[in-house]
Amino acid sequence: LQFAKLFPAYNKAGGNVSTSGGSMGGWQSVSIAALDNDVTNASLSIVWMCSVGGNEYEYVPSNFMPTIVNGNTTRMLYSSVGAADYINKTLSQRAGFKVKVYGGLADPTAPVQGLIALYNKFECEKSLELIQFMKHGENYSSKLYRSERSAAAK
């Protein structure tokens, strides 16, 4: 972000920065937002690393988790929910921070309970959209279109 802020377009946008991404990109987007107070909007889709404890509970377990080394885990250091907590601590320095969280109800990589935990953690203007039957990597817009179309047909 430091490099991007050198461009004139940054100043034309009023100094506002938005992040967006899906899966690991969603995790990177929320992590970047946590590290830079100039980020005022985040759009996070099928965010990886929300369900770091999902395998220990009877939820949908994540099928893609960091490795535990020597019996110790460092995976909490990479938690998307932890990044949201840090963003909350800096909200007073962020003018009108907004976040949108998207996900699929059938996603084993970014399980829905993790996305809901991430959404619930934010203490700012926020929205959550979960799509029935959507799995990891499926096209969000076409899945949404199909669900709206089938609802209209009923």
Side-chain angles (χ1 to χ4, degrees), residues 10-32:
Y10 172 72
N11 291 325
K12 287 181 185 175
N16 291 323
V17 177
S18 297
T19 62
S20 66
S23 192
M24 185 180 273
W27 170 70
Q28 291 169 335
S29 294
V30 73
S31 298
I32 288 169

Side-chain angles (χ1 to χ4, degrees), residues 15 28 30 45 60 64 75 79 96 110 125 127 133 140:
Q28 291 169 335
V30 73
S45 178
V60 177
F64 191 79
R75 63 187 179 197
S79 167
E125 186 176 331
S127 65
F133 305 118
Y140 170 78

Side-chain angles (χ1 to χ4, degrees), residues 2-152:
Q2 290 174 337
F3 178 72
K5 290 178 186 178
L6 298 174
F7 290 91
Y10 172 72
N11 291 325
K12 287 181 185 175
N16 291 323
V17 177
S18 297
T19 62
S20 66
S23 192
M24 185 180 273
W27 170 70
Q28 291 169 335
S29 294
V30 73
S31 298
I32 288 169
L35 295 172
D36 192 317
N37 290 346
D38 289 337
V39 177
T40 56
N41 293 289
S43 181
L44 312 169
S45 178
I46 57 173
V47 184
W48 180 58
M49 290 302 291
C50 285
S51 186
V52 292
N55 293 349
E56 285 87 29
Y57 302 101
E58 292 185 19
Y59 299 125
V60 177
S62 178
N63 62 6
F64 191 79
M65 295 300 294
T67 305
I68 296 174
V69 180
N70 297 329
N72 295 317
T73 180
T74 57
R75 63 187 179 197
M76 289 305 288
L77 297 174
Y78 304 103
S79 167
S80 299
V81 177
D85 193 38
Y86 186 79
I87 289 170
N88 290 332
K89 292 176 185 175
T90 62
L91 280 175
S92 63
Q93 302 165 24
R94 300 167 187 256
F97 184 81
K98 299 175 190 169
V99 65
K100 294 179 183 178
V101 179
Y102 305 93
L105 293 173
D107 188 342
T109 305
V112 67
Q113 75 275 2
L115 297 176
I116 292 171
L118 174 64
Y119 171 80
N120 286 336
K121 193 68 169 177
F122 283 109
E123 298 171 358
C124 60
E125 186 176 331
K126 59 188 177 181
S127 65
L128 173 67
E129 191 163 356
L130 300 171
I131 308 299
Q132 189 172 4
F133 305 118
M134 190 173 97
K135 295 180 182 171
H136 202 77
E138 288 188 322
N139 185 309
Y140 170 78
S141 59
S142 69
K143 195 73 165 181
L144 182 61
Y145 172 75
R146 282 191 306 231
S147 65
E148 287 173 348
R149 204 167 125 207
S150 66

